[in-house]
Amino acid sequence: MTDLTSLSAADLAALLTSREVSSVEATRAHLDRIDAVDPDIHAFLHVAAEGALASASRVDERRAAGESLGELAGVPIAIKDVLTTNDMPSTAGSRILEGWVPPYDATVVRRLREADLIPLGKTNMDEFAMGSSTEHSAYGPTHNPWDLDRIPGGSGGGSAAAVAAFEAPLALGSDTGGSIRQPAAVTGSVGVKPTYGAVSRYGAIALASSLDQVGPVSRTVLDAALLHDVIAGHDPLDSTSLDETWPSMAQAARAGRTGDALKGVRVGIVRQLAGEGFQAGVKQRFDEAVALLTAAGAEVIEVSAPSFEYAVAAYYLILPAEASSNLARFDSVRFGMRVMPADGPVTSERVMSATRDAGFGPEVKRRIILGTYALSAGYYDAYYGSAQKVRTLIQRDFNDAFGKVDVLISPSAPTTAFRLGEKLNDPMAMYLNDITTIPANLAGIPGMGLPIGLAPEDGLPVGMQIMAPARSDARLYTIGAALERLLEETWGHTLISRAPDLTATEMFASEEGAI
Ligand code: GLN
């Protein structure tokens, strides 16, 4: 029998529906896989083996009783630890929330449960989602399944690594400046940041509220679409949630895999998201994918977005400003840890200060200081105000570009996975890594990252990002799925992700990097 962990969520779901496989079997296979590889990878902060098996057996019973269940019912999923879960600790990768079990589920988690997916556990992340490598997690980094000495991306490196290492077919991530798309890029996974407001942020521990968005992580475009359909939709508990009916993303993805989905599609390559600082092999695989799109009848042109040059600078003012305000709630009274001052009087301010000193890591402190400075009365206009103006200019650049093309594309990240430790002591280098993903968050538009091959120089995965106008998420799935099919025809096999113990590598053979 096929190894259940090697299947896509859609294929596993089909076996569950036809009752060839039970959810308990599927869940147990993934838990065994976690036992076998997670000591090396460290994708999970918490594994809920008992809870997962209990949920799986309930789904099996209901299926046996003839109940009609959702398409992904019984399929296991990993959940980024930024999302609150009422039966598992939710730490957001921070010491300050160690052991905190929230009294409620995030709306997206509630929707997973209602759709009968099986939560396997919580995944590692940079503390409060600040970072691009998981090295800022208070609980130690996650390792990239392609090379354990490399970063799995961040902040959602745990979710991406779990999916890439076949510990889960699906995962949830959150993306404020790229934390779904960049980890997907460097692990050979698919990741989507939906339109701002498409997916509820209720119960997503806030980093920067005007940028945060929850989204799917998977190994295929269709799987991401199926998960997107489960989590998206209006939520009265989130005041920025869009009140509208969305088309089926799964249907959009299926349409992309059949027929001539790319014929006549106008694709824009963003001039500012290429060139200097982009690794040669990333560029090469990107150009090859563009050639495939052209051969399939897409009309590819270059477009210019001049304000993107200032996107990273604007983001690293807006994000710390919002984060410094959001993180004020960790005050030693309402959540998590409380540390008493070592000596001197015990006042609430001194307890708060001792707690935040012990509970927050260096990157979080850096951003709180940056953010409070940028918001301070004398500097507000010069920093925060200017950054907001740049944000408007970036939105205008996108509007102009989408006047000419249907989607925009770029590499998902400038380089393949860098080495653990390589950028840890150089925050600027770490921040610059976000150049490709940040503009979409500043504009609130949707973006998808999907694997387009391995860089010849290091054999590591390369991703392409596709961006569409706000509310046009379905377009990403159609075009992403069409490109995925073209790549599969070229490679002669399907999934790109592989596991470190090489048990599944025949499927993912990567002779000379030409996956
Ligand atoms: N790397 C970005 C940052 O450090 C992305 C964060 C995110 O999307 N959560 O801010």
Side-chain angles (χ1 to χ4, degrees):
M1 197 180 104
T2 359
D3 176 3
L4 295 177
T5 60
S6 70
L7 299 172
S8 69
D11 289 347
L12 179 58
L15 291 178
L16 290 166
T17 307
S18 64
R19 293 174 60 185
E20 280 161 79
V21 167
S22 71
S23 177
V24 166
E25 285 169 317
T27 303
R28 192 163 281 137
H30 285 93
L31 291 170
D32 288 348
R33 178 77 187 155
I34 293 170
D35 278 348
V37 304
D38 214 52
D40 287 335
I41 294 185
H42 191 229
F44 284 87
L45 291 178
H46 178 84
V47 179
E50 252 176 61
L53 288 168
S55 310
S57 108
R58 278 196 299 275
V59 171
D60 287 339
E61 280 163 27
R62 288 174 40 216
R63 205 186 303 271
E67 253 185 70
S68 94
L69 302 170
E71 188 159 355
L72 291 176
V75 174
I77 185 165
I79 300 172
K80 187 177 179 182
D81 207 31
V82 76
L83 297 165
T84 59
T85 43
N86 65 17
D87 56 354
M88 292 182 267
S90 304
T91 70
S94 183
R95 220 26 104 190
I96 212 161
L97 285 178
E98 191 166 8
W100 180 58
V101 181
Y104 66 102
D105 276 339
T107 295
V108 286
V109 172
R110 182 171 55 74
R111 289 192 175 161
L112 294 184
R113 298 196 209 267
E114 284 167 3
D116 292 307
L117 280 100
I118 312 294
L120 291 171
K122 306 295 290 287
T123 58
N124 196 19
M125 55 183 283
D126 288 291
E127 185 174 4
F128 288 111
M130 299 179 188
S132 308
S133 70
T134 69
E135 292 167 295
H136 295 310
S137 167
Y139 305 99
T142 297
H143 299 258
N144 191 316
W146 290 81
D147 178 344
L148 296 176
D149 295 329
R150 306 249 178 186
I151 59 107
S155 64
S159 282
V163 164
F166 299 89
E167 297 172 84
L170 295 171
L172 282 183
S174 68
D175 191 312
T176 306
S179 286
I180 291 176
R181 290 161 289 156
Q182 181 257 10
V186 299
T187 58
S189 321
V190 176
V192 177
K193 182 202 96 67
T195 294
Y196 183 79
V199 177
S200 171
R201 290 183 297 110
Y202 181 74
I205 297 170
L207 171 52
S209 307
S210 76
L211 302 163
D212 296 345
Q213 192 57 195
V214 177
V217 182
S218 62
R219 293 188 296 260
T220 71
V221 173
L222 174 61
D223 283 1
L226 288 164
L227 181 53
H228 190 133
D229 286 336
V230 169
I231 58 173
H234 181 242
D235 179 12
L237 299 174
D238 172 359
S239 60
T240 58
S241 167
L242 294 169
D243 189 1
E244 60 187 87
T245 326
W246 296 89
S248 159
M249 303 299 155
Q251 212 174 323
R254 287 186 170 116
R257 297 212 41 115
T258 50
D260 264 351
L262 291 167
K263 215 172 196 87
V265 171
R266 296 168 307 161
V267 176
I269 300 178
V270 187
R271 185 183 308 152
Q272 285 74 9
L273 302 182
E276 212 190 314
F278 283 72
Q279 192 178 319
V282 168
K283 191 87 191 69
Q284 185 186 329
R285 292 300 178 226
F286 180 75
D287 290 343
E288 288 165 6
V290 169
L292 283 179
L293 293 173
T294 311
E299 198 186 304
V300 182
I301 62 166
E302 195 182 80
V303 299
S304 182
S307 308
F308 284 19
E309 197 185 321
Y310 310 105
V312 174
Y315 171 88
Y316 277 100
L317 285 167
I318 293 169
L319 178 137
E322 293 188 23
S324 68
S325 161
N326 273 325
L327 295 180
R329 62 169 61 87
F330 300 102
D331 58 2
S332 78
V333 177
R334 287 176 288 183
F335 306 92
M337 136 189 235
R338 177 176 305 164
V339 175
M340 291 312 207
D343 45 41
V346 177
T347 63
S348 54
E349 259 181 29
R350 296 189 79 243
V351 174
M352 199 185 301
S353 162
T355 302
R356 288 166 68 88
D357 183 28
F360 288 145
E363 182 63 22
V364 173
K365 287 177 182 157
R366 181 182 297 127
R367 294 199 195 190
I368 290 174
I369 291 167
L370 259 171
T372 40
Y373 184 79
L375 288 175
S376 58
Y379 295 103
Y380 183 93
D381 287 336
Y383 293 120
Y384 186 73
S386 305
Q388 290 293 15
K389 287 178 191 155
V390 171
R391 188 170 187 174
T392 303
L393 294 177
I394 287 167
Q395 287 162 351
R396 284 191 197 151
D397 278 357
F398 272 120
N399 286 345
D400 289 349
F402 287 128
K404 301 184 197 103
V405 297
D406 302 308
V407 288
L408 290 167
I409 57 170
S410 75
S412 295
T415 65
T416 56
F418 47 90
R419 284 183 197 287
L420 286 158
E422 197 177 316
K423 299 188 194 224
L424 189 54
N425 298 314
D426 185 352
M428 276 303 282
M430 192 81 94
Y431 297 170
L432 285 170
N433 200 255
D434 300 336
I435 171 73
T436 43
T437 47
I438 278 174
N441 299 80
L442 289 172
I445 64 164
M448 166 185 287
L450 77 163
I452 52 169
L454 303 178
E457 60 269 48
D458 54 21
L460 293 168
V462 176
M464 177 187 274
Q465 173 178 227
I466 312 175
M467 294 174 281
R471 295 179 161 84
S472 300
D473 305 50
R475 197 180 292 172
L476 295 181
Y477 286 103
T478 302
I479 292 170
L483 174 59
E484 179 185 54
R485 192 184 76 166
L486 290 177
L487 290 163
E488 285 171 8
E489 282 165 4
T490 315
W491 301 334
H493 61 82
T494 51
L495 307 178
I496 183 174
S497 298
R498 71 168 182 188
D501 62 1
L502 307 182
T503 49
T505 38
E506 314 85 81
M507 302 172 59
F508 318 110
S510 57
E511 298 287 310
E512 289 150 31
I515 194 154

